[in-house]
Amino acid sequence: MKALVKSKPQEGLWLCDVDQPVVGSDDVLVKIEKSAICGTDLHIYNWDEWAQNHIQPPRVIGHEFCGTLIECGENWKQLKRGITVSGEGHVVCGRCRNCMAGRRHLCRDTYGVGIERDGAFAEYLSIPGSNLWLADPAIDKNVLASFDPLGNATHTALSFDLLGEDVLITGAGPIGLMATAICRHAGARHIVVSDLNPYRLTLARKMGATRAINPQDIQLTDVMEKLGMAEGFDVGLEMSGSEQAFNQMVGSMIHGGKIALLGIQGEDTKIDWDKVVFNGLTIKGIYGREMYETWYKMSSMVLSGLDIGPSLTHQFHYTEFKKAFDLMREGLCGKVILNWD
Ligand code: NAD
Ligand code: ZN
């Protein structure tokens, strides 16, 4: 089969002919229709320090996908073939305390599809049957291929009560954009989104932001004043990974405000702990998606009118993957999808 492979320990990705993956007794085989490119895939493409520490070439990468279930291992014979599916990219141990209690997103020993196991940038993908999401056929396939990042956005945004609340989202990458639409759908009052990239700020407005601002040009305090917000943001969703953005957030929360932290901060990030302590802030770290409550929630939100369409900006045939990765590097995009048929 054709696959996009990290075949050498250097920058780049190579379109290769590889063996179709083996389907173990606990696995299922998916014929991929669409796969979406994640920031993680860009790290692997660029072969940065993170990628060098996590990827052992050769590796078929990619973990955001939708497709058709075509084969089931011995333990999954009850599943109907031919149905449309997506899937969870974190494989959990199943035995640790949290897994045993049903809190699989808190597993102490996860490994990743397209990282420690061959992934979805291929004509066929084998994953554990327990990681398969049986999709509602009414859901658009581009949206379904983006269920992994939409799940990050859903898990983060729904961590705290949003109804009637004022929300600050730092970072309007694909996940921040999707979170904007979720906050709107879930009944937030003001949603202020910050990013340095004007293309993405325009997208944030299309996703339902009350204000989308470049913090280098406009102070958050000015925006709050214009919106009539006297005391600060009730909920903060950190989705940039930027120390500066995180500190702006910590500094503009209401006393007792809640922050959900998805963005991966640099090693030496400093924050003003006095503000956290004396203002009584709650900071919750978010990893991945809740299995599978997040998947249920995002399906039901999409089926009841959540529209993430404007954040899915580009599509390419898989043979044009270089163009797709170049575009991601430039940042003049939301979600970028590769088509496999
Ligand atoms: P992305 O890199 O596409 O988006 C980040 C955005 O933040 C960019 O548009 C960038 O311009 C913006 N930004 C940079 N500096 C900023 C600043 N000072 N103020 C405001 N915005 C700023 O990333 P993404 O794919 O949307 O993911 C969002 C974040 O979440 C990233 O940090 C990513 O590593 C992280 N992530 C975490 C998980 C998890 O499970 N915890 C999963 C996926 C992604
Ligand atoms: Zn576990």
Side-chain angles (χ1 to χ4, degrees):
M1 66 169 187
K2 299 286 183 201
L4 299 177
V5 186
K6 189 74 187 178
S7 37
K8 295 174 242 179
Q10 65 189 60
E11 186 185 312
L13 199 60
W14 293 269
L15 178 57
C16 303
D17 285 301
V18 300
D19 290 339
Q20 206 170 298
V22 177
V23 184
S25 54
D26 241 350
D27 297 331
V28 294
L29 191 69
V30 177
K31 183 173 191 313
I32 299 293
E33 265 177 70
K34 289 172 179 285
S35 47
I37 305 177
C38 171
T40 304
D41 303 317
L42 194 59
H43 287 294
I44 300 172
Y45 189 97
N46 292 340
W47 202 236
D48 62 13
E49 202 182 318
W50 179 89
Q52 291 174 32
N53 290 331
H54 288 84
I55 303 285
Q56 286 191 357
R59 174 68 69 220
V60 177
I61 71 162
H63 57 273
E64 304 179 355
F65 66 94
C66 75
T68 308
L69 178 63
I70 57 165
E71 199 183 318
C72 301
E74 203 51 44
N75 301 336
W76 293 99
K77 288 292 179 206
Q78 76 277 20
L79 294 176
K80 207 169 128 200
R81 289 172 217 192
I83 56 172
T84 298
V85 295
S86 181
E88 170 59 53
H90 291 172
V91 181
V92 299
C93 80
R95 297 303 312 173
C96 70
R97 176 180 174 182
N98 282 313
C99 277
M100 292 300 282
R103 299 183 291 261
R104 288 179 277 186
H105 61 294
L106 296 175
C107 173
R108 68 198 294 266
D109 198 15
T110 53
Y111 68 94
V113 174
I115 296 170
E116 284 104 356
R117 167 182 179 125
D118 280 340
F121 289 175
E123 289 178 291
Y124 299 93
L125 166 73
S126 166
I127 52 167
S130 54
N131 280 50
L132 201 64
W133 180 254
L134 311 183
D136 188 304
I139 294 175
D140 176 86
K141 298 247 171 98
N142 294 308
V143 173
L144 189 60
S146 309
F147 257 32
D148 175 296
L150 179 59
N152 291 136
T154 301
H155 185 185
T156 314
L158 300 188
S159 281
F160 300 113
D161 184 25
L162 293 171
L163 182 63
E165 302 288 41
D166 295 335
V167 183
L168 173 63
I169 301 177
T170 45
I175 300 178
L177 290 169
M178 292 175 192
T180 304
I182 294 166
C183 292
R184 188 51 77 208
H185 189 79
R189 181 173 66 160
H190 299 312
I191 304 165
V192 176
V193 180
S194 72
D195 201 296
L196 312 177
N197 173 335
Y199 177 92
R200 289 185 162 175
L201 290 173
T202 304
L203 286 178
R205 290 181 196 109
K206 289 188 189 158
M207 300 299 284
T210 313
R211 293 279 188 284
I213 60 144
N214 183 337
Q216 291 174 333
D217 303 336
I218 301 174
Q219 296 287 318
L220 272 175
T221 42
D222 291 342
V223 178
M224 287 160 60
E225 198 188 307
K226 288 223 171 78
L227 292 173
M229 289 173 52
E231 298 191 28
F233 290 94
D234 307 298
V235 176
L237 311 178
E238 204 312 288
M239 302 187 148
S240 72
S242 151
E243 174 177 15
Q244 209 183 6
F246 188 21
N247 272 295
Q248 281 161 351
M249 178 174 280
V250 166
S252 51
M253 301 300 293
I254 192 168
H255 287 209
K258 313 260 193 314
I259 294 177
L261 185 58
L262 180 89
I264 297 166
Q265 294 287 322
E267 250 174 68
D268 303 323
T269 296
K270 288 202 178 87
I271 64 166
D272 185 344
W273 289 106
D274 276 2
K275 291 213 172 89
V276 176
V277 174
F278 295 119
N279 297 354
L281 303 184
T282 299
I283 301 178
K284 179 186 176 193
I286 307 284
Y287 182 52
R289 298 143 294 279
E290 287 188 11
M291 298 163 217
Y292 283 80
E293 187 61 9
T294 299
W295 291 77
Y296 178 87
K297 287 275 195 184
M298 64 179 146
S299 301
S300 57
M301 286 192 294
V302 166
L303 291 168
S304 62
L306 172 69
D307 179 13
I308 61 159
S311 70
L312 313 177
T313 54
H314 293 82
Q315 293 195 37
F316 293 91
H317 191 254
Y318 71 90
T319 52
E320 300 178 302
F321 69 93
K322 281 205 179 84
K323 274 193 211 162
F325 277 90
D326 284 346
L327 179 68
M328 296 259 309
R329 276 173 160 175
E330 268 176 80
L332 293 178
C333 58
K335 197 79 212 163
V336 180
I337 292 172
L338 299 174
N339 289 313
W340 288 85
D341 41 13

